[in-house]
Amino acid sequence: MELADFLGLIHPAIAIIFVFPIIGNVVNFAWQTRQRRLQTLANGKSKIPPVVGADHRKFGELLTSAVVGVTLLGLGYAIGKNIVKHQLWSTAPLKVLFIVLIFSATIKCLILLYQARQRLWRGIFASLTGAGLVIIGCQDGVYRLTNEWYWSHYYIGITAALLMIFSVSIVQDIYQDKSQRWRIVHTILNCIAILLFIGQGLTGTRDLLAIPLSWQEPYIYQCDFAQKTCLTPNPQISK
Ligand code: HEM
Ligand code: HEM
């Protein structure tokens, strides 16, 4: 296997080995947090230990880092491949520098989001982290599938990442809001996020199936994808 093909497997492998198990933990603790709260409201006590809420938050923060990280990795691979293919560092060095700066600024803003205590700063750093992802996603080389956005691995992934960032930014509000409004908003949005993660599993495996190995690219990309025909039909299949 060539290096470019191997590098392309790092993003899916990390998503499966690290991100999805963390999603399982977050959802498990989320369910227990809710059950504990409802049981305590109804009976004044619950057998579920109080630590589940803190554990959910801990794993939630880890999940946000993991999802943003895996998103940057997926985008980085696609953009990096495009940079190498067109040798952009010699034809457009400023563009390459801009992309590198946005990558590092996005990571820094996420770190600052975890550290920020005041609502205003959490809002600012959450917005900047999200904006960073969107700007990187707009670069050449990213397979966005905009005309079929509803099953695009890119759009679903970016939306899921933005929902995770939003969750981190409203943590204090979930705890402080006595009317539970933020808790309900958080639960509804993250139930949607679970569906989006399932979508990432489906669209990611589909994309893996569709991407040819490097040595096959010159042949495969001659094919007419709309008509589903290739220049030289395989004689064994057409027999
Ligand atoms: C798949 C992702 C997630 C799902 C499905 C989810 C769902 C939930 C649910 C159902 C609750 C309990 C609501 C209730 O008491 O009725 C909750 C609470 C909470 N969530 Fe999440 N959540 C997710 C991700 C996150 C993330 C990324 C964070 C950010 C750190 C986070 C932070 C919190 C906090 C701070 C609470 C309150 C915990 C407590 O009461 O001690 N969640 N979440
Ligand atoms: C939380 C889960 C995931 C997120 C947030 C995520 C996000 C992304 C993003 C933003 C991209 C770049 C846009 C693009 O080129 O389509 C990407 C690319 C990709 N992802 Fe994922 N992904 C996730 C899971 C997966 C899984 C489970 C697989 C496969 C098993 C997968 C396979 C791929 C492939 C094949 C690419 C294309 C790389 C290329 O452009 O050549 N992803 N992902």
Side-chain angles (χ1 to χ4, degrees), residues 17-217:
I17 299 169
F18 292 109
V19 182
F20 283 94
I22 302 175
I23 295 173
N25 274 303
V26 169
V27 173
N28 177 32
F29 284 124
W31 179 254
Q32 294 198 55
T33 304
R34 183 169 169 80
Q35 288 309 307
R36 184 186 138 75
R37 191 175 61 81
L38 296 180
Q39 285 168 11
T40 314
L41 270 180
N43 314 320
K45 59 180 170 33
S46 165
K47 282 185 180 156
I48 301 170
V51 73
V52 289
D55 281 344
H56 170 71
R57 179 189 174 169
K58 207 171 65 191
F59 274 101
E61 286 178 346
L62 185 64
L63 178 62
T64 307
S65 305
V67 171
V68 172
V70 89
T71 302
L72 288 175
L73 209 62
L75 293 168
Y77 174 74
I79 297 168
K81 207 172 164 186
N82 184 62
I83 291 176
V84 174
K85 198 169 154 192
H86 298 101
Q87 300 193 346
L88 286 186
W89 60 85
S90 49
T91 53
L94 281 182
K95 194 172 181 180
V96 177
L97 183 70
F98 171 76
I99 292 170
V100 172
L101 286 178
I102 296 287
F103 260 93
S104 68
T106 307
I107 296 169
K108 278 189 194 127
C109 286
L110 182 65
I111 296 171
L112 290 171
L113 169 62
Y114 287 126
Q115 290 170 352
R117 289 287 159 262
Q118 285 170 5
R119 204 180 199 188
L120 175 70
W121 286 110
R122 291 180 85 93
I124 289 174
F125 290 126
S127 308
L128 288 176
T129 313
L133 287 184
V134 173
I135 294 170
I136 295 169
C138 292
Q139 302 306 312
D140 295 338
V142 179
Y143 178 57
R144 283 182 286 267
L145 199 69
T146 303
N147 53 341
E148 292 175 5
W149 55 269
Y150 43 87
W151 62 17
S152 150
H153 189 71
Y154 166 75
Y155 284 105
I156 300 176
I158 292 285
T159 313
L162 293 179
L163 286 179
M164 292 302 104
I165 295 167
F166 181 67
S167 291
V168 173
S169 74
I170 62 160
V171 163
Q172 303 296 341
D173 302 284
I174 298 178
Y175 285 128
Q176 283 163 8
D177 181 13
K178 296 273 175 290
S179 71
Q180 311 290 11
R181 196 166 49 105
W182 283 107
R183 201 173 271 272
I184 295 167
V185 168
H186 173 76
T187 304
I188 293 172
L189 286 181
N190 283 315
C191 285
I192 298 171
I194 296 175
L195 297 178
L196 296 178
F197 286 129
I198 294 173
Q200 282 310 79
L202 294 171
T203 54
T205 39
R206 175 204 61 190
D207 287 356
L208 267 185
L209 197 63
I211 297 171
L213 291 167
S214 305
W215 66 267
Q216 299 170 339
E217 276 181 11

